[in-house]
Amino acid sequence: MRRKLAAGNWKMNGRYADLTQIEALCAAHDGAEADLLICPPYTLVAAAAALCADHALNIGGQDCHPEAAGAHTGDVSAEMLQDAGASAVILGHSERRADHAETNERIHDKARAAYQAGLLAIICVGESLAEREAHSTLEIIGAQLSASIPDAATGENTVVAYEPCWAIGTGLTATPDQIGEVHDFIRARLEDRFGDRVGQSVRLLYGGSVKPENAAEIFAVSNVDGALVGGASLKTNDFSPIIRALEAEANPS
Ligand code: PGA
């Protein structure tokens, strides 16, 4: 059984005052029936991790450099994130691919750095609207999976997030059928490459305009093990119902 994961990506949002949201999440969800993660901007990682030290909520970064240290002004390494109290890092988000011209190969090298530092790598894949309209979604996702996931991936060190670019921050959500098709494809690709045991243990998240109103429907889709949530992770009042929907899926009663 794969343990469910609700991950929040704060992107370039959040100041010290917003740490109250982290405190509220900690208070509301200790003993959650799912893994919980918030990835705030670098400036808040250490403070957020300190607040979560005795709670179930984990803290992650939104990117890292492939090297552990060196002359790379403005970059942060996986080791530094780990040192600041992070246990995970998002890699290859479509905004990084677009804003920073990140290639699959570079994402692969960042994932290896994350493994080296003991961080869970959340590797993002997803097609653009033009690629979906050209019916090349699965081809694009297949190429992203092959080139960006290292051979050393396991269910313990890697999570794959499917985030169709056209659904991120747009309010448009992929339909359950669209999500199911891609998640089943990713699962099959992982099983082919890594064998059944590892292939079945890697968790697959959906991301793209997940909100309280659509979470339950998305979590019911096959091979959806949780969500990577942007906008709706900024406020506990929005993220908490998403977490509860995931718990309900994990433990129907
Ligand atoms: P969104 O972002 O939930 O605001 O669409 C998701 C993401 O980019 O991870």
Side-chain angles (χ1 to χ4, degrees), residues 9 11 93 95 163 167-170 207-210 228-232:
N9 172 12
K11 310 191 178 185
H93 190 281
E95 287 152 14
E163 298 206 312
I168 294 177
T170 56
S209 299
V210 176
L228 180 54
V229 183

Side-chain angles (χ1 to χ4, degrees), residues 1-7 33-37 58 87-88 119-125 145 149 153-162 183 186-187 190 197-206 223-227 246:
M1 271 294 281
R2 294 180 296 271
R3 190 164 157 83
K4 307 280 183 192
L5 170 61
E33 308 248 8
D35 288 345
L36 306 179
L37 175 73
N58 294 296
S87 57
L119 299 182
L120 175 71
I122 301 177
I123 300 176
C124 303
V125 297
L145 293 171
I149 302 182
T154 68
E156 285 75 49
N157 65 19
T158 302
V159 166
V160 175
Y162 168 53
H183 278 237
I186 295 174
R187 178 71 62 214
L190 293 174
R197 194 185 59 78
V198 170
Q200 285 164 13
S201 66
V202 173
R203 291 174 288 180
L204 309 185
L205 308 183
Y206 169 77
N223 278 312
V224 172
D225 303 308
L246 190 59

